[in-house]
Amino acid sequence: MEAKWETSPAGQPADWSLVALPDEAGQRNSWEITIPNGLGYILEFKKNLSAPVLGLKEWERSDRPQMVGLIYYSFRVMSGIGFFLAGLMLWTVLKWLLGDLSGEKIAQQKWLLRAWIFAAPLGYIAVESGWIVRCVGRQPWTLYGQIRTADAASHLPASNVLTSLIAFATIYSHLQLCCISR
Ligand code: HEM
């Protein structure tokens, strides 16, 4: 999630990566913008780390996720949306306390209403991003340290899976249409 390749030792400050371009092959970030000493403050509300934060290089390549960039940005999209929605909620509560959301005044809150329309799909995007963080970030494990995805994956041919998927979609659509027509 943090595209952190090198270990930060205990007893020292460490920077927190805000934006970066992870370079999987080179096992580094081609470029990045960091918040100096940010990691200690995020993790422990203090400058120096009391425990080391292990970098990706501590693990064999075969034991850690690929597509670090995807995980890194999915996490930022998810948490960015989380903070945006929390901020929007606070802004709305404030406006409400000030009496600006009454029937007569609410139409004047153009930017607040626009922000809520903008927010409508964000929960879905955050859920999908969270799912990417979780499921891509967990690779190559199905259960961390216990069973690899390669060993857990079904050996059924893709055509069988497609057939049952089409069957389920057809049956459920049919049931749905029956309900609607009643
Ligand atoms: C500040 C905001 C947020 C932070 C710091 C945060 C943090 C995280 C972290 C650390 C994970 C990975 C957990 C793991 O390792 O298993 C995660 C997963 C996830 N997050 Fe967020 N999240 C935030 C906001 C949101 C929002 C707003 C949504 C949806 C509306 C969301 C939906 C999800 C989902 C669906 C997962 C995957 C859960 C799973 O499959 O087990 N997150 N989040």
Side-chain angles (χ1 to χ4, degrees), residues 83-104:
F83 283 116
F84 174 81
L85 293 177
L88 183 57
M89 197 178 62
L90 285 178
W91 181 19
T92 309
V93 168
L94 195 70
K95 285 281 179 192
W96 175 62
L97 290 174
L98 292 172
D100 289 345
L101 300 188
S102 62
E104 312 84 63

Side-chain angles (χ1 to χ4, degrees), residues 1 75 78-79 81-83 85 122-123 126-127 130-131 133-135:
M1 283 181 245
F75 181 68
M78 172 182 66
S79 43
I81 290 175
F83 283 116
L85 293 177
L122 295 185
V127 166
W131 172 72
V133 171
R134 182 76 182 95
C135 291

Side-chain angles (χ1 to χ4, degrees), residues 78-172:
M78 172 182 66
S79 43
I81 290 175
F83 283 116
F84 174 81
L85 293 177
L88 183 57
M89 197 178 62
L90 285 178
W91 181 19
T92 309
V93 168
L94 195 70
K95 285 281 179 192
W96 175 62
L97 290 174
L98 292 172
D100 289 345
L101 300 188
S102 62
E104 312 84 63
K105 286 192 184 168
I106 193 161
Q108 294 161 16
Q109 310 303 324
K110 289 210 165 35
W111 282 106
L112 183 67
L113 297 177
R114 280 180 189 136
W116 273 107
I117 290 172
F118 177 72
L122 295 185
Y124 298 99
I125 296 171
V127 166
E128 292 301 319
S129 308
W131 172 72
I132 292 172
V133 171
R134 182 76 182 95
C135 291
V136 180
R138 191 183 58 226
Q139 301 309 317
W141 302 99
T142 299
L143 268 185
Y144 185 74
Q146 300 293 318
I147 182 166
R148 285 174 180 268
T149 309
D151 300 321
S154 167
H155 295 298
L156 277 179
S159 56
N160 286 20
V161 180
L162 184 64
T163 309
S164 55
L165 179 66
I166 291 171
F168 274 115
T170 310
I171 293 167
Y172 280 110

